[in-house]
Amino acid sequence: MPVTERDGVKVWRRRDRRSQFSIWLGWFFGTLLFVQAWRLVSEHTIWDFALDAPVQAWDLMVRMVPPRWSYIDSLWRPMWDTLNIATLGTLLSIAIAFPIAFLAARNTTPGLVFVRPAALLMIVSSRSINSLIWALLLVTVVGPGVLAGIIAIALRSIGFIGKLLYEAIEETDRVQVEAITATGASRPQQLTYGVLPQIMPAFAGISVYRWDINIRESTVLGLVGAGGIGLQLNASVSRLAWNEVTVIFIVIFVTVIVSEWVSAKVRHAII
Amino acid sequence: MSTAAAASRSWRPPPFIANPWLRRGMWLGVLAYLALAIGSLEINWVRVAEGLERGWRFISAFARPNFTGRWGEISAGILESLAMTVTATAIGVALAVPVGLGAARNLAPLPVYLFCRGLIALSRTFQEVIIAILFVKMFGFGPLAGMVTLVVGTIGFNAKLLAEDIESADPAAMEAIRATGGSWGQLITYGVQPQVMPRFTGLAAYRLDINFRESSVIGIVGAGGIGSTLNTAFDRYEFETAAAILLVIIVIVMMAEYSSGHIRRRFQ
């Protein structure tokens, strides 16, 4: 207890001098870092453009309202494409991530020395690259269109599903697996009857959750040419047709809300 | 024992969905959707086949990434991304505190609660890139637009989780402060803050990590950072440079993830 005596009176403090000083030092360097970072941002900003932001915002409002509702008729097909990108991409990623998760989990991996690090590396590299960057890359490889979007979503989701799933596998109860092993079951049987039933709810929950995120992500893939409603968004923004952009925003908003609701319902039903 | 008797005693695990009609109906629905969805894909297989060679070139570019060719642009982009990340996280986390307090049902009156929850829902629904498009239009091209975008995302994320934490905090501690006649400010400082602070600090560190990831993409729509450099590299088919940029991003993300995990473990 950091208590000091001053003029014969005991004074209580929350921290001793040493930790007080290190906290002060943390704030000091944090502030220094922030100021430096802010200076860099400020140097790279054209302040004349930034300062008239309120005027620009008002201008944007005026142009966005009223929305051009008739435009919605040409959005059904892109929206269907967006849903397909998210759903098929999620299915593809599940198919790939499921075995990878078993290879990465400490208690089911066939090899700790080589296989597990390789699986973890796959998970990490998939996770650190955003789906939009994957899309950028795939558009140059397979050409613009829905296929690039599906693969981009799948590649990004492998890491997400793989990571959460292998953590779920590592948390499974060993006793149940041992009970199955005691009956003389083979290795695949141990996995199907011992591990799989334990991770099934988590797996379904993770997949639906990722699907919900993917809906949101697939709305922007079109900006780099990977299909879906983003293509329309890009076209309307470059034509400065902001009243069409409003309609697109509303469609995206409704879709995301609905998918979030569906995903919450499904997860609630499972868990 | 005959084989027929053995077969009749064989056991199957119970199906995931108990109701057989619901189960079959769902399978039917899934199959119908898949048929429709895959049928409506328009894939240009000739183009895909042509692109495979290019894909291979990209993968092999990872074996010999070119860091030096455009190092000036890469380092400037990375620095800008990092600066955006730091400022946006600091400002966003600071702003998330009042919004989070307002969005906690046990602290805020109903109108404030609804306003703050609406703010959070709005910022969470739209993808960062879409928000970035609007801010680029308002603030002009450059890192400021990106920073504001990340601030909005940070507020949505941290305020929501803070509000949930406050709502599930132990009411006894708050009750005790109220019983001593403490003001609202004292209630927050002594009743709520000690309970939610460790997790809040951890989530702020986690958000730093997310913000860096996001800052590497919003450059694609002109909001500053490494994203624009990456976009240019792909446009010029400079796969070696693109591979170098991606490797730098992966290394920084891994470092950020490791250190944010470390911070979270320390504070929780």
Side-chain angles (χ1 to χ4, degrees), chain A residues 199-210 263 266-267 270-271:
Chain A
I199 60 161
M200 226 34 208
F203 172 61
I206 294 164
S207 308
V208 175
Y209 181 42
R210 187 64 216 186
S263 133
V266 170
R267 273 184 291 157
I270 295 168
I271 300 163

Side-chain angles (χ1 to χ4, degrees), chain A residues 7-202:
Chain A
D7 305 333
V9 183
K10 279 186 176 171
V11 181
W12 177 82
R13 284 170 196 278
R14 199 169 152 206
R15 300 186 181 90
D16 58 27
R17 183 165 301 170
R18 198 189 163 82
S19 60
Q20 188 70 40
F21 184 69
S22 62
I23 285 174
W24 181 85
L25 218 61
W27 278 104
F28 178 74
F29 281 113
T31 315
L32 214 63
L33 185 69
F34 175 76
V35 171
Q36 279 299 323
W38 173 257
R39 214 189 56 170
L40 199 112
V41 169
S42 169
E43 272 170 7
H44 291 215
T45 304
I46 303 166
W47 280 102
D48 286 339
F49 286 156
L51 287 177
D52 74 340
V55 181
Q56 291 289 335
W58 178 246
D59 180 51
L60 203 61
M61 282 290 285
V62 172
R63 290 190 199 200
M64 284 179 94
V65 190
R68 216 185 109 207
W69 289 112
S70 57
Y71 186 60
I72 204 167
D73 283 331
S74 50
L75 289 181
W76 299 122
R77 179 62 212 245
M79 212 52 229
W80 168 248
D81 281 343
T82 302
L83 283 178
N84 286 342
I85 291 174
T87 314
L88 296 179
T90 312
L91 288 177
L92 186 63
S93 78
I94 289 172
I96 303 171
F98 197 75
I100 290 184
F102 277 92
L103 297 182
R106 197 176 285 279
N107 48 353
T108 55
T109 183
L112 274 171
V113 188
F114 182 71
V115 182
R116 183 163 190 265
L120 286 180
L121 183 73
M122 264 193 262
I123 290 176
V124 166
S125 43
S126 147
R127 266 161 52 79
S128 22
I129 298 179
N130 194 293
S131 52
L132 203 61
I133 297 182
W134 281 119
L136 201 64
L137 163 68
L138 284 159
V139 165
T140 59
V141 173
V142 302
V146 181
L147 185 68
I150 293 174
I151 304 178
I153 287 287
L155 285 177
R156 170 66 182 84
S157 309
I158 289 172
F160 183 91
I161 297 178
K163 177 171 195 275
L164 292 177
L165 196 61
Y166 97 76
E167 284 170 357
I169 296 174
E170 284 184 349
E171 278 166 21
T172 48
D173 188 3
R174 260 189 57 232
V175 178
Q176 300 185 30
V177 185
E178 245 165 49
I180 304 286
T181 319
T183 65
S186 65
R187 190 79 186 126
Q189 281 174 327
Q190 287 169 25
L191 290 183
T192 12
Y193 296 103
V195 177
L196 206 58
Q198 293 191 56
I199 60 161
M200 226 34 208

Side-chain angles (χ1 to χ4, degrees), chain B residues 82-108:
Chain B
L82 286 173
M84 272 158 60
T85 310
V86 169
T87 49
T89 311
I91 299 174
V93 167
L95 289 177
V97 174
V99 179
L101 287 176
R105 190 66 198 99
N106 50 354
L107 286 179

Side-chain angles (χ1 to χ4, degrees), chain B residues 26-238:
Chain B
M26 264 175 79
W27 274 117
L28 216 66
V30 167
L31 284 181
Y33 167 75
L34 279 182
L36 261 177
I38 294 174
S40 75
L41 295 182
E42 285 159 5
I43 299 173
N44 185 352
W45 289 110
V46 182
R47 174 68 182 77
V48 174
E50 280 171 10
L52 285 183
E53 181 260 338
R54 211 176 283 160
W56 177 245
R57 255 183 59 207
F58 180 75
I59 293 172
S60 53
F62 267 99
R64 41 186 169 79
N66 180 2
F67 289 97
T68 47
R70 299 196 180 275
W71 180 246
E73 287 165 46
I74 297 176
S75 60
I78 290 282
L79 262 183
E80 202 171 271
S81 270
L82 286 173
M84 272 158 60
T85 310
V86 169
T87 49
T89 311
I91 299 174
V93 167
L95 289 177
V97 174
V99 179
L101 287 176
R105 190 66 198 99
N106 50 354
L107 286 179
L110 191 64
V112 178
Y113 170 77
L114 289 179
F115 176 75
C116 289
R117 282 283 168 176
L119 217 63
I120 291 173
L122 204 64
S123 91
R124 284 173 58 83
T125 310
F126 288 106
Q127 232 274 342
E128 254 89 354
V129 177
I130 293 184
I131 303 177
I133 293 176
L134 291 181
F135 283 129
V136 166
K137 157 83 175 133
M138 281 185 218
F139 293 100
F141 290 101
L144 188 72
M147 192 199 83
V148 179
T149 308
L150 294 179
V151 166
V152 170
T154 309
I155 293 176
F157 180 83
N158 286 62
K160 178 170 189 274
L161 294 169
L162 177 65
E164 278 166 10
D165 259 10
I166 295 176
E167 280 171 357
S168 61
D170 183 10
M174 294 180 233
E175 192 62 47
I177 303 291
R178 278 206 196 93
T180 63
S183 66
W184 193 81
Q186 285 169 328
L187 172 71
I188 303 298
T189 331
Y190 298 105
V192 179
Q193 193 252 12
Q195 293 195 55
V196 297
M197 203 54 193
R199 214 172 111 82
F200 186 70
T201 319
L203 286 170
Y206 180 45
R207 187 65 210 189
L208 190 74
D209 172 14
I210 299 178
N211 275 348
F212 179 74
R213 273 172 227 226
E214 294 291 337
S215 80
S216 62
V217 284
I218 52 183
I220 293 173
V221 294
I226 188 73
S228 48
T229 323
L230 188 62
N231 203 3
T232 323
F234 276 120
D235 282 347
R236 294 177 183 152
Y237 293 109
E238 289 177 349

